[in-house]
Structures are given as C-alpha cells and as structure tokens.
Amino acid sequence: MLTAPSPPAFRRLRRLARSTAVTAVATFALALAPLAAPHAALAEGTDNRDAFQNLGSADQQDWMSRVGATTPLTAMSIPGTHETLAVHGGSSVQTQQDFGDSAATLSAQLDRGIRAVDIRVRIINDKFVIHHGAFYQNANFDDVLTKAKAFLSAHRGETILMRLRAECDGSLGSCSDDHPTASHTALFDTYAKQYAGLFYNNGRRSDPPTLGQARGKIVLSVFNAANGGSYGLNGFSDHTEDTWNAADAPAKWSLVNKNLAAAGSAPANQTFVTYTSASRAPFDHVPSEYAGGYGVLRGKDLVWVDGVNLRLMNYLNGDSANRRLGIVMMDFPGWALVHDIIARNRYYEARGGSPAIWVVKSDRTYVDSKYGRCMTRGPEFDSSGQGGVVQQRACQSSPPSSHQWQAAQPSTFDGMGYFFIKAANGQCLTAPYNNGTPPPAGTQLFWWPCETRWMSDNQMWNIMPTNLPDQSAYRFINKWTNLCLMVDPATASQSGGKVVLGKCPA
C-alpha cells in the first residue's frame, strides 16, 4: 500500500500576535486595541500519522474549562467532526475512526477534544435513528443524548455544538423516513422535553451564546429539516465552506484555506464553519482519501497527493499569527489537528485574580481582581487642586465621585490606539515623569491635568481585555514604561494603600 511520506520531525514554538477588539463595558467606548501581548502556542504533529485517523489518547476532556466564561462561542476555534457517527457502510460511507456502536464513538471523540458534532437522523417508529445515507450506524438519538449528557455532567466546563440533519430524502442511495405521526421538529421537541435542560434554550432559535451560558449544555447550532429554521443559532450558516464534491484534495484544500483565512480576519461575532470533508464515492475518491491522501498515476509514476488533513496540520503549524479558525468539521481527524485547533483558544484562557487585572463595573469603579479594592482619587498634592496621589480603598455600594474613572480617547491629538484613564474630576491617571527617566515598578501613580499633545506617554494606557473564569476584566498598560496599573501588594490591606506601576501578568 502506498503511504504518505514522512517529512522531518519538527516542533516549533509560535507566538500569538493578535489585534484585539476591546469590549465596550459600562462606561467604556473603546475601539480596537492593536498592541496585544503575544501568547505562545505550540505547533504539534509532524506527519500524516498525526493528522489522519489517529485521535490519540483521551486527554482533552476539559479544555474548554480553561477558557473565560464571557468568551463568545463565535470567537473560538472549535474542532469538530463531519458525519460524527459514520463508522459503518464501507469506505464510501465511513468518515470517522471507529470507537464502537451506540454512540461510543461520540464519547471517544468528546474525550479527545471534539466539541462540534454532526448528527444525521432518520425517523423510524417515531424515533430518531442515526444514518449516513441508507446505512444505519448502530446508534439511536437516545444513545447520542445519553452519552452527551454523561460527558457534560462529568465535565461541567464544556459544551457541545450539534448540527442536526434530517438525512433521508428518498433519493437513490439515500433512505426514506417512516413518520406516521411525528415531524422532525415535533420529534426533536419530544427529545428536548425528555432530556430537560440538556439543550441550550431548548434548541430554539437564538443568538450565539457565550461559553459561560452554554456550559453543561448542547447548543443546537442548526437543524437541517423542514421547519428547522425556528431552531439553532442566528448567523450560524452565514460563512460556511461545505463543498462536499470538490474535484480532488488540492481543490478542496484551496476552498478550506480560503474560509479559514476569512475567519481569521473577520469580526469575532461572525460565525465561520469549515468542512474539510469531501467525497466522490463510489466512482472516485472516498472520504478517507480526501482526508488522508492517495496515489495517482502521472505517466508511469505513482505520485502521492497529500490529503486535506495533512495540509491543514501544516497550515496550523506554520501560521505564526494563530488566528481564529471558527468551527472546523473534519473527517478522520488526527490528534495533532485537534490539539492545534484547541491551542488557538489560549488567548481566551481565563487567568486567576491578580492585583494587575481589573474588573470595570457599571458604576464606573475599577476593582482589582485579587484583593477586591477600588481605585480612588486620593489627596491633593497642595491647595491648588491640580493633582494628587492615586490610592485604593474598600468599594462602596454607592460610590462617591472619587471612586469613579472612565477611559477616553484623546480629543486634541491622535492617541494611536491608546487611552486616557480619567478621574471624575477630568484629571488623568499619570505615571511620574521622573526627570524623563521611566520610573520603575513600585512607583505610586497620581492624577494630573491631561496633556493636549502627543508627548504624554506617561498618561497613555493600552487597555487589554483579559478573561477571568466568570467575567471580563482588563489590564491597563502604561505606554511609556510598559508596566501595568496595579494595587500595591504591600499595602493592599490598608485603606488608602498605594496604586502603583508593576509587572504585567503573563
């Protein structure tokens, strides 16, 4: 048998260089924050054995639990499988590595990091059974929901996106439904009621949720059936590549590459779905050949053509920007593909509380995430009222104006993406000028009249969104010093303790 060539092994550390959209929260009216700090991402996999028909060990049960709850599902990179349970019917039909019947294959995929699934159903005796075309896949919808519920109960930080499709259209090679009493949507509603609380919003039409809203649930992403438009997520199919009959693997890869590139540059609130799968069975290439590669005769030579999976793995390993991919639905994925897609979410991984990570409240208070102290406008330097120190104090249910701050772009010059942090009296958060030498970590900040020209780097702040486990937060990075706004740990327990410059958290 002709096998794919094995290129030299390599493992390369990539850096994440990303332009980050700053979320508008409370009094923030923030535009693009273009100076995001890089995050490391490890490129995994070296050859076709890592990309194709080898999901590896069950080591990815909880990868979503590391991602911040406020992360929109649309912003994530999510590995999925096309025809998730198609393991019977021969090479023309099979699309996935076989881990067993009764949806045991689904359980194995979930344990290995798959979070988007493609379930195809036929109605028999008012029940959904799983088919690929005319071939029964030795599983029923109850198997799917039972296995999914067990997984989500054991791994509460995860969610599953499900495409549900009525598989039978009565055409040659397909199947016909037997539904004397139930339509597809009515039958789905019966399942949703039976498995109460398992489906997000009972599968009904809604905007895409955040990960926190979806955790512990199945999100019905789209329902391809008569009257299925009242189900699923708004905009889910707006940017989908699913050319299932591309001429060959290179042609399919070209389409996949184009959609992935578009996902990487589009706004994070747009959903992108890319199917890497294709088939021209039974008379040409079957799903495993599109995914894993094949040999072709060119003259007298038998030449190897790389499959889409290896091309995708090499693309992910070589993309140093580590851009968002959206949802990637694959045939016969290998462990390295799954790992590389998951790694794209490292930017959204939640961090623990830190004195340099701040939660911005709707009452315009800035609360540090480690000690729960509010940044305040402290005493004036002198009777002129022109400036004073910045401190921290216990937060109040009705905060005085001295506890309130607001990010604002400069109006008298181009801030080049940086912001003033203004106190309620209109004064700006300022790092000491220090005779022109950037001050060190530990230097206390003060409030001072805002400058009116592009010379005030000590008043310019880069505002970086930062996920905590259950809420959005921010790092405020001073342009001049490249140090972060933070509560001074040495005086954190004191009323009137210092707010200083400090080393930014990774």
Side-chain angles (χ1 to χ4, degrees), residues 10-352:
F10 60 89
R11 289 182 180 271
R12 293 172 291 184
L13 190 66
R14 296 293 182 184
R15 302 293 292 174
L16 177 62
R18 179 187 297 270
S19 294
T20 307
V22 181
T23 308
V25 175
T27 57
F28 278 66
L30 305 183
L32 192 68
L35 302 174
H39 287 252
L42 184 65
E44 299 197 60
T46 59
D47 58 37
N48 207 42
R49 292 168 295 184
D50 303 322
F52 173 63
Q53 205 169 11
N54 174 20
L55 274 174
S57 58
D59 59 358
Q60 296 293 332
Q61 293 99 330
D62 296 292
W63 70 263
M64 280 183 163
S65 67
R66 301 188 295 270
V67 177
T70 59
T71 305
L73 289 183
T74 58
M76 295 178 66
S77 298
I78 300 175
T81 49
H82 159 253
E83 289 275 8
T84 297
L85 295 181
V87 296
H88 294 291
S91 62
S92 294
V93 177
Q94 185 176 359
T95 63
Q96 302 301 327
Q97 186 177 351
D98 186 356
F99 289 93
D101 295 339
S102 302
T105 291
L106 171 63
S107 294
Q109 290 182 13
L110 295 174
D111 285 341
R112 289 156 177 80
I114 297 299
R115 293 294 179 271
V117 298
D118 177 19
I119 304 298
R120 311 294 183 96
V121 294
R122 179 186 185 184
I123 298 179
I124 298 292
N125 294 328
D126 291 333
K127 295 288 185 180
F128 282 152
V129 299
I130 311 303
H131 266 247
H132 183 183
F135 292 90
Y136 175 51
Q137 297 302 318
N138 291 0
N140 302 325
F141 201 48
D142 277 310
D143 297 324
V144 171
L145 298 186
T146 300
K147 297 293 197 300
K149 182 177 180 179
F151 176 82
L152 293 170
S153 296
H155 306 283
R156 301 298 300 176
E158 309 303 292
T159 187
I160 301 168
L161 282 76
M162 178 184 290
R163 176 198 184 185
L164 189 60
R165 184 178 187 272
E167 182 71 351
C168 300
D169 60 14
S171 64
L172 181 66
S174 183
C175 49
S176 297
D177 288 313
D178 163 27
H179 48 92
T181 60
S183 69
H184 288 89
T185 52
L187 186 50
F188 172 81
D189 287 340
T190 300
Y191 282 104
K193 184 177 181 180
Q194 178 183 350
Y195 293 85
L198 182 58
F199 283 92
Y200 175 77
N201 196 40
N202 289 320
R204 293 290 180 162
R205 194 79 171 180
S206 70
D207 289 331
T210 64
L211 177 57
Q213 293 170 324
R215 279 184 164 141
K217 298 181 182 295
I218 298 173
V219 177
L220 185 63
S221 55
V222 65
F223 193 176
N224 301 125
N227 302 316
S230 297
Y231 298 76
L233 300 178
N234 292 324
F236 186 83
S237 302
D238 288 353
H239 307 282
T240 297
E241 161 48 41
D242 190 14
T243 306
W244 60 270
N245 59 351
D248 53 24
K252 178 61 181 179
W253 167 246
S254 179
L255 296 166
V256 168
N257 192 358
K258 182 178 179 181
N259 209 50
L260 294 178
S265 60
N269 63 353
Q270 295 181 1
T271 304
F272 277 76
V273 184
T274 303
Y275 286 82
T276 68
S277 53
S279 175
R280 288 199 166 201
F283 304 110
D284 204 341
H285 300 303
V286 298
S288 61
E289 291 178 316
Y290 277 93
Y294 50 86
V296 296
L297 277 173
R298 293 178 180 165
K300 296 181 179 180
D301 298 323
L302 185 61
V303 179
W304 179 261
V305 178
D306 286 336
V308 175
N309 289 17
L310 181 61
R311 295 169 190 264
L312 174 59
M313 185 181 74
N314 290 338
Y315 169 86
L316 297 178
N317 288 349
D319 179 21
S320 59
N322 284 276
R323 293 162 290 197
R324 174 189 63 150
L325 303 171
I327 300 162
V328 185
M329 307 293 282
M330 300 169 283
D331 281 351
F332 299 103
W335 65 270
L337 282 182
V338 176
H339 287 200
D340 281 345
I341 294 168
I342 291 172
R344 297 299 176 105
N345 298 290
R346 290 187 181 183
Y347 176 75
Y348 298 107
E349 288 184 2
R351 295 164 174 81

